[in-house]
């Protein structure tokens, strides 16, 4: 085997053999295949695709590059959720304790934000004392004692993906459906969950901009999970406008706590409950009512124990950015569009996200929304508040909001997009 013949096969639209796939993933993980060779192969895959047989083998090879976790010692069935990433997508925060409160165990290995989409670990790290890095033993202990754990994936889990994802990020090869599907599913299958619910985002703030691509990604991932014995279901959900009323780390923790206290924005509550029902169903937990567990405080109890078990203080005040800038409505009427991508880029530029993996994030930075599509607004009323510790970033952030919203004449009919657009099982 040699890297050049593997690259040529895919460059010339051929099918990679199982032996070629096993070899190239293993040799890349060991450093025998160079980054420039793997990036040429990733670009050939992005341009020419892979069939289902190739994707299945590629995923299996990435799983085999590292360890597999085992939760079979737990007394409860396991259920996990993965979102393909969006703006204001804080759903994991209320969802994991909610599903645990209803009787399943939730081992939630999460990531950091890159680009305009936020990351669960960055959000939780705005809670004073909270630790994302746990050993496998600590993770199991938190899971056993509280029912839910949200933490970083250890280095031993799908190391081939860790290397390949970092490479794709800097070579313009993230947006390939076979590579996204195998990247996500290799980690989730190696993690050892018994069931998995995928939240595949569709719209301007998501990787998948249209429903056809989202369907293809979702059905590829559902097929991979099912083939590996993981009960897998996908919901296709709207990401044309931010979820909830906040995008930014501490801002989103505050909103998640509101949801756990029985309040919070309607779209966040609806999606949290829809995903909780799917997770409980996939895990085989019957007769649990997630709406009740939000209303009666039992999900909040699990949240507090889970945060404390990872060193966090659930009662500590959350960081607030030093500077604010208010964007007002330029005219009166109906807000008919508030673009997720524009808001996500603004939050990122304000300091909520990072440009390179090693950059720090600002806990208090982000964007607060004062209106959602469908709301009536009056000229001069606050539309958005931008938060940052570094006010020199306001101008650059404001540029991403130019053309990011539309206000139509008063009385204009507005048809809201449903939160859940489809389901693939
Ligand atoms: N998230 C992942 O883990 N991998 C991808 O390729 C894209 C999103």
């Amino acid at each position: 085997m040699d890297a050049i013949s593997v690259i040529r096969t895919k460059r010339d639209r051929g099918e990679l053999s199982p032996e070629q796939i096993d070899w190239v993933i293993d040799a890349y993980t060991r450093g025998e295949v160079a980054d420039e060779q793997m990036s040429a192969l990733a670009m050939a895959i992005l341009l020419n695709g892979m069939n289902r047989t190739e994707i299945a083998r590629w995923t299996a090879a990435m799983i085999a590059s590292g360890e597999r976790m085992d939760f079979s010692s737990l007394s409860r069935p396991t259920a996990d959720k993965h979102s393909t990433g969006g703006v204001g997508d804080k759903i994991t925060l209320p969802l994991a304790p909610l599903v645990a409160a209803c009787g399943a165990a939730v081992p939630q290995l999460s990531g950091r934000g890159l680009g305009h989409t936020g990351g669960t670990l960055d959000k939780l790290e705005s809670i004073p004392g909270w630790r994302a890095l746990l050993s496998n033993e600590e993770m199991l202990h938190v899971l056993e004692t509280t029912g839910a754990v949200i933490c970083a994936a250890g280095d031993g889990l799908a190391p081939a993906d860790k290397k390949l994802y970092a490479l794709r990020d800097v070579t313009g090869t993230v947006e390939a459906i076979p590579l996204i599907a195998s990247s996500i599913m290799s980690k989730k299958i190696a993690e050892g969950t018994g069931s998995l619910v995928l939240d595949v985002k569709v719209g301007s703030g998501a990787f998948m901009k249209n429903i056809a691509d989202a369907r293809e990604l979702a059905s590829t991932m559902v097929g991979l999970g099912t083939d590996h014995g993981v009960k897998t279901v996908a919901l296709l959900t709207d990401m044309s406008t931010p979820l909830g009323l906040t995008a930014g780390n501490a801002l989103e923790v505050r909103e998640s706590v509101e949801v756990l206290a029985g309040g919070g924005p309607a779209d966040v509550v609806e999606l949290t409950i829809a995903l909780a029902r799917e997770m409980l169903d996939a895990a085989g937990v019957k007769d649990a009512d997630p709406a009740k567990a939000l209303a009666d405080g039992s999900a909040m109890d699990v949240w507090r124990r889970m945060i404390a078990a990872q060193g966090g203080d659930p009662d500590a005040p959350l960081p607030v950015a030093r500077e604010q800038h208010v964007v007002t409505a330029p005219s009166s009427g109906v807000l008919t569009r508030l673009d997720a991508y524009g808001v996500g880029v603004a939050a990122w530029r304000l300091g909520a996200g990072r440009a390179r993996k090693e950059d720090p994030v600002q806990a208090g930075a982000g964007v607060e929304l004062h209106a959602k599509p469908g709301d009536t607004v009056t000229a001069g009323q606050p539309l958005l508040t931008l938060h940052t510790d570094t006010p020199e970033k306001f101008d650059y952030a404001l540029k991403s909001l130019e053309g990011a919203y539309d206000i139509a004449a008063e009385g204009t009919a507005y048809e809201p997009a449903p939160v859940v657009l489809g389901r693939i099982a």
Side-chain angles (χ1 to χ4, degrees):
M1 287 289 170
D2 67 281
I4 299 168
S5 66
V6 180
I7 296 166
R8 282 193 179 129
T9 303
K10 194 38 78 183
R11 181 198 67 187
D12 298 339
R13 298 198 167 84
E15 178 176 340
L16 297 176
S17 69
E19 294 74 24
Q20 282 180 311
I21 291 173
D22 291 352
W23 178 81
V24 81
I25 295 285
D26 178 55
Y28 178 60
T29 310
R30 288 185 290 104
E32 191 182 318
V33 167
D35 274 350
E36 55 270 27
Q37 293 175 312
M38 194 48 140
S39 56
L41 180 58
M43 185 58 82
I45 292 170
L46 181 134
L47 296 173
N48 296 329
M50 286 203 283
N51 64 30
R52 292 281 170 111
T53 312
E54 291 173 291
I55 298 172
R57 191 71 182 209
W58 187 275
T59 307
M62 294 220 290
I63 296 168
S65 73
E67 65 181 352
R68 289 187 78 153
M69 297 188 69
D70 180 9
F71 296 124
S72 57
S73 62
L74 292 175
S75 53
R76 308 161 172 217
T78 46
D80 192 5
K81 185 262 330 191
H82 182 86
S83 159
T84 55
V87 178
D89 183 3
K90 72 272 303 168
I91 301 294
T92 295
L93 278 61
L95 181 65
L98 172 60
V99 173
C102 291
V106 187
Q108 182 77 56
L109 298 184
S110 297
R112 296 180 190 284
L114 206 58
H116 73 281
T117 63
T120 298
L121 300 182
D122 294 329
K123 296 174 212 232
L124 286 168
E125 276 176 346
S126 63
I127 301 174
W130 187 86
R131 281 188 305 124
L133 286 175
L134 303 182
S135 66
N136 287 358
E137 292 71 33
E138 283 178 307
M139 180 190 175
L140 256 177
H141 178 72
V142 178
L143 194 54
E144 252 162 13
T145 51
T146 72
V149 62
I150 304 176
C151 62
D155 284 342
L157 209 75
D161 176 64
K162 240 179 218 104
K163 228 178 142 184
L164 181 55
Y165 189 69
L167 183 74
R168 287 165 55 213
D169 196 41
V170 293
T171 55
T173 51
V174 168
E175 295 90 345
I177 288 177
L179 295 179
I180 297 176
S182 54
S183 164
I184 292 172
M185 294 308 292
S186 61
K187 287 173 287 205
K188 291 292 160 182
I189 295 165
E191 169 206 285
T193 185
S195 57
L196 174 65
V197 176
L198 298 160
D199 181 1
V200 179
K201 301 275 179 217
V202 193
S204 72
F207 280 129
M208 298 295 117
K209 307 292 180 202
N210 63 64
I211 193 98
D213 286 348
R215 254 182 222 292
E216 187 185 337
L217 176 62
S219 68
T220 306
M221 292 196 290
V222 169
L224 286 170
T226 309
D227 288 350
H228 283 88
V230 181
K231 181 143 193 234
T232 310
V233 174
L235 293 186
L236 309 181
T237 71
D238 181 55
M239 189 31 70
S240 58
T241 200
L243 258 173
L245 294 169
T246 54
N249 301 312
L251 290 169
E252 292 190 51
V253 173
R254 193 191 69 203
E255 190 167 270
S256 303
V257 172
E258 283 167 18
V259 172
L260 287 160
D267 56 348
V268 178
V269 175
E270 181 182 338
L271 185 53
T272 303
I273 290 179
L275 289 165
R277 292 209 166 107
E278 293 288 354
M279 287 169 77
L280 292 165
D281 188 48
V285 176
K286 308 267 177 250
D287 304 326
D289 180 357
K292 183 166 167 286
L294 274 186
D296 69 12
S298 49
M300 178 70 101
D301 287 346
V302 177
W303 162 263
R304 294 177 60 81
R305 283 191 277 121
M306 178 185 83
I307 295 300
Q310 291 179 237
D313 177 356
D315 296 315
L318 291 165
V320 176
R322 282 194 289 276
E323 306 279 341
Q324 278 77 34
H325 176 95
V326 176
V327 177
T328 55
S331 58
S332 298
V334 179
L335 183 68
T336 51
R337 188 177 66 90
L338 182 50
D339 182 55
Y341 182 70
V343 173
V345 172
W348 176 26
R349 290 180 177 174
L350 290 164
R354 52 173 69 75
R356 289 169 310 163
K357 277 211 320 264
E358 53 283 4
D359 290 348
V361 294
Q362 290 181 24
V367 179
E368 205 177 345
L369 281 56
H370 301 293
K372 294 274 279 184
D375 289 349
T376 299
V377 297
T378 309
Q381 79 157 71
L383 202 54
L384 304 163
T385 301
L386 313 191
H387 299 253
T388 186
D389 292 333
T390 37
E392 62 276 15
K393 294 186 169 173
F394 280 136
D395 281 349
Y396 193 36
L398 285 166
K399 283 213 167 20
S400 71
L401 294 168
E402 284 168 10
Y405 48 86
D406 294 329
I407 298 174
E410 251 167 80
T412 303
Y414 175 80
E415 186 65 44
V419 174
V420 179
L421 306 168
R423 179 178 189 275
I424 293 180

